[in-house]
Amino acid sequence: MAATAWHQLTADECAQQLQSPLPGLRSAEAAARLRHFGPNQLQEAPARPWWRLLLSQLSDFMILVLLAAATVAGWVGEWLDTLAIVAIVLLNAIIGVVQEYRAERAVRALRQLVAVNAKVYRDGQLQTLASTMLVPGDRVLLESGAAVPADLRLVQVAQLRIDESTLTGESVPIDKIAEALMSPDGRAIALAERLNLAFKGSWVVNGRAIGIVVATGMQTELGHVARLLQTHETLTTPLQRRLAGFGRRLALLVLMICALLFLFGIARGEAPVLMFLTAVSLAVAAIPEALPAVVTVALALGARRMVKVNALIRKLPAVETLGSVTCICSDKTGTLTENRMQVVKAYPVAANPSVAGLPISLHSLAVAHGANEAPPLILTLALNNDAILADTESSTRGRSASGDPMEIALLAAVQAAGWSVTALQQHWPRIAEWPFDAVRKRMTTLHRCDTTGQQWLLCKGAPESVLTCCALPATEVDALLAEAQHMAEQGLRVLAVAGRPLPADVSLNTHVLPAASAIETGLQCFGLIGLQDPPRADVPAAIAACRRAGIQPRMITGDHPTTARAIARQIGLLAETADTDEPDSTVLTGAALAAMPVHERAAAIERTLIFARVTPAQKIEIVQYLQASGQLVAMTGDGVNDAPALQGADIGVAMGRRGTDVAREAAHMVLLDDRFATIVAAVAEGRRIYDNIRKFVRFVMAGNTGEILLLLLAPLFGMPLPLLPIQILWVNLITDGLPGLAFAAEPAERNVMQRPPRPPAESLLARGLWQHVLWVGALIAGLSLLVQAIAGGSPAHQQTLVFTVLTLCQLWHAQAIRSEYDSLWRRGFTSNRSMLIAVLAALAMHAVAIHSVWGNQLFHTVPLSASEWLLCLGLSALVWPAIEIEKVLRRVHDR
Ligand code: ATP
């Protein structure tokens, strides 16, 4: 099938060859084809096998040195040591593999959630299906912003322009056609010139079309090019890159210290092999080579948790950036409002174009005449409309309708007025159209009555846009605009409806209305329509939460400034008392922005909370100005024109329900429920995750510092080696490892949304972290040295006590730093169950290491008495109050 030259066939030939009937395939036939052709998806490269992951864990240079040193040690001394070290290193590597596997799985799962849907005709109805379900012969509807889901032969095209840059690299969108193509000289037509085909992986920039699927999955042109989709994208975030650089410098320092330790030991007459092993073990334990990996895991698992609050992360670094957002620029419709539109006002202009009367209801137009006698206002609402109602005439709202909620509301109003939408649409088929776009702000269609041959050109859109096409005296235009303003003050979205009969001899031979044609002039205005869209109930609270968190919400809308301001007042974005007499004082319109001298724009944008009637291009401008003034901007968008603004924003937020595929592809984050409050929840989650990464770093680095200081200082004080290599590795694996993992589950700080955003360039070590690492490290080393000093007895006895105090200190430390601000008491010991389990498990394993026979052999420990345990517990517990004092100081300082 792949060899057929679809572009050379006419639409009918193509439909015949693919057995693609006009109302779409029947479900049973589609299912059979799906079984035959397989799902419409590109094959992914297989995941890395576990042994590869393991090998990459073990190939770390320091691990290799350690294994070599252990082998040498086994050769000259005890094989048990070698075995124990190898076992611990292996265990460590296995944990690493599990972590990486979890992260990879989480990232894969996230990718699958971003599934693309397609609109397809099946069983005579337009349905939305996962694009993987498409089969050859399916008839697919393409709309502005949609991803082309398979290779299609276009059979009906209106103003269709497609961006094929992902496939061909050509960045200029291509105008598509539906006619068959023949090369005059009989040579093959190049892929890029097959204008009647749309290829999987490209994007609809503009217009609408219907196409028949000619190839799916790996049979598509994209499939031929891609062969296998490389899914192992490198997952580095700015934080990871900073950490990797920091880790390298730290590693160098640690290596130098370990070399020093080795030399000290030799000078003091310790066995060289033991000292070498000790130095290498310390290096392995103290070099935080796993930091970047831990960050990936934290971010990936965090992203997975965010799905539960309906925020789908598409680009992992966004999790990190979210915590720094200072400004959220949000759409109005659907994000701040419910997107449950309803026609609540109609202001018909009588046939004699006087606008004197009071607004009357559409019901007054309810005349039980035939469909070809419907008043033009009704005709326009019913016909100049892409929404689709299900067959049952009564089910005008809710699930049975599909399309733009505003257009669904218009159809509902028509039905409520007693007209049959289906009958009207059947009598007046659409023969040409000029689809809606956000710049023109209107939509025009041409219809021909199937019985009389009469033609109507119908148009609806923003009043200022539509009225410019109308033949009306200025006074009437003013009166209509005043009425529109009046409706907008009540928070209504206002549409003007217009049109004119077209002589039957004027015919367009394509489905396309010629752009810039004179056809859209001299229209009669049929009236105004006011639609209500209630604000979402949770928005005022979310806006207040933003403000407490130092984040400024802004509204950017294509709607009328007065409507925007009325809604802003209802949701608390503007104070209720904001001056109404000065209509546009708090709203900046796109036109005003464009007219403003460039040097004044930055300041004006920064002061403005509401932008209305802005074009998509101005959205980018607003983002750029805000960014230049130091803001970190989250920006929502749903249309195809929003993609550049979404990409340019620090966090581009697309809508999962009503957004276009293009917007979703460009975004960093997708709101699965389209709600503004979800952005705020995601910011809180982002802040929590960053806090927890910091807590992890704080924990591991303070512990490592303690171990280094301990091993370095003991010989300086004339004490024997305080810890054996195997003990160092054990502490690294169990005492640091287990609680370290549990930080990811730490709940958010109480004040997480009551403090200003973190400056994006702030170092991970800022806000007292490195000071904490140093003093806690010193404290842990000091307490361990103290117990060694008072212990006496054999070296094994001393080492067991030091081993125990060091372990207990780390466990206390883990609990104490679970909050940066609140005392452990206030936070509660059980509020992070994973941490409690990790600490208890580490404690139990330590007890086994010193109280079992094989533990004594493996770790060279001796059992401790009850009083010695008490001593160790008492000493190590000092870490807790010390850290509580630090928190008190921090609270005082913050106040
Ligand atoms: P919001 O922020 O409220 O989501 P938006 O930026 O999505 O607004 P657009 O969809 O660009 O706004 O609409 C701008 C104006 O264009 C609307 O106020 C309305 O007057 C008009 N309009 C919107 N959709 C249509 C349509 N399908 N047909 C005709 N006119 C429309």
Side-chain angles (χ1 to χ4, degrees), residues 514-532:
S517 74
I519 218 161
E520 265 181 335
T521 54
L523 305 187
Q524 303 165 22
C525 179
F526 306 141
L528 301 175
I529 297 292
L531 295 116
Q532 191 178 45

Side-chain angles (χ1 to χ4, degrees), residues 331-333 404 406-407 436 438 441-443 460-462 493-495 556-560 613:
D331 270 344
K332 175 174 69 65
T333 306
D404 175 10
M406 183 184 80
E407 298 199 322
F436 170 76
K441 293 195 176 20
R442 62 176 184 262
M443 157 173 177
K460 76 171 189 309
R493 163 172 282 209
V494 189
L495 285 180
I556 303 190
T557 175
D559 217 334
H560 193 276
R613 287 285 193 244

Side-chain angles (χ1 to χ4, degrees), residues 413-649:
V414 169
Q415 302 230 122
W419 299 93
S420 157
V421 169
T422 319
L424 290 174
Q425 289 179 344
Q426 275 167 2
H427 271 282
W428 294 91
R430 187 186 292 186
I431 53 174
E433 66 188 293
W434 195 343
F436 170 76
D437 76 66
V439 177
R440 279 164 27 97
K441 293 195 176 20
R442 62 176 184 262
M443 157 173 177
T444 305
T445 51
L446 179 63
H447 304 265
R448 184 181 296 140
C449 179
D450 61 348
T451 48
T452 62
Q454 200 188 353
Q455 295 195 116
W456 268 105
L457 185 78
L458 303 174
C459 171
K460 76 171 189 309
E464 340 64 287
S465 163
V466 172
L467 292 179
T468 54
C469 308
C470 290
L472 283 178
T475 48
E476 274 167 27
V477 170
D478 289 348
L480 280 167
L481 287 177
E483 180 53 36
Q485 170 83 9
H486 178 65
M487 286 189 193
E489 272 160 20
Q490 297 154 38
L492 304 185
R493 163 172 282 209
V494 189
L495 285 180
V497 180
R500 69 178 163 105
L502 220 60
D505 56 340
V506 177
S507 73
L508 298 165
N509 49 9
T510 66
H511 194 64
V512 186
L513 281 180
S517 74
I519 218 161
E520 265 181 335
T521 54
L523 305 187
Q524 303 165 22
C525 179
F526 306 141
L528 301 175
I529 297 292
L531 295 116
Q532 191 178 45
D533 181 18
R536 289 182 183 271
D538 54 2
V539 168
I543 287 190
C546 274
R547 297 228 163 101
R548 281 195 299 275
I551 302 167
Q552 182 61 63
R554 289 182 163 83
M555 179 197 283
I556 303 190
T557 175
D559 217 334
H560 193 276
T562 310
T563 311
R565 194 183 32 241
I567 299 285
R569 207 168 279 146
Q570 288 169 19
I571 58 175
L573 186 57
L574 278 189
E576 283 287 346
T577 52
D579 195 355
T580 12
D581 295 338
E582 251 184 277
D584 292 334
S585 61
T586 45
V587 182
L588 189 59
T589 61
L593 183 62
M596 194 177 281
V598 174
H599 67 274
E600 286 175 20
R601 289 187 191 171
I605 287 175
E606 228 188 319
R607 320 188 267 280
T608 303
L609 298 187
I610 302 167
F611 300 86
R613 287 285 193 244
V614 290
T615 61
Q618 285 177 319
K619 277 193 170 186
I620 311 171
E621 198 181 342
I622 294 170
V623 170
Q624 286 169 344
Y625 273 113
L626 286 172
Q627 284 173 331
S629 70
Q631 306 262 16
L632 212 117
V633 185
M635 156 80 80
T636 70
D638 46 18
V640 56
N641 298 323
D642 290 337
L646 291 180
Q647 241 156 10

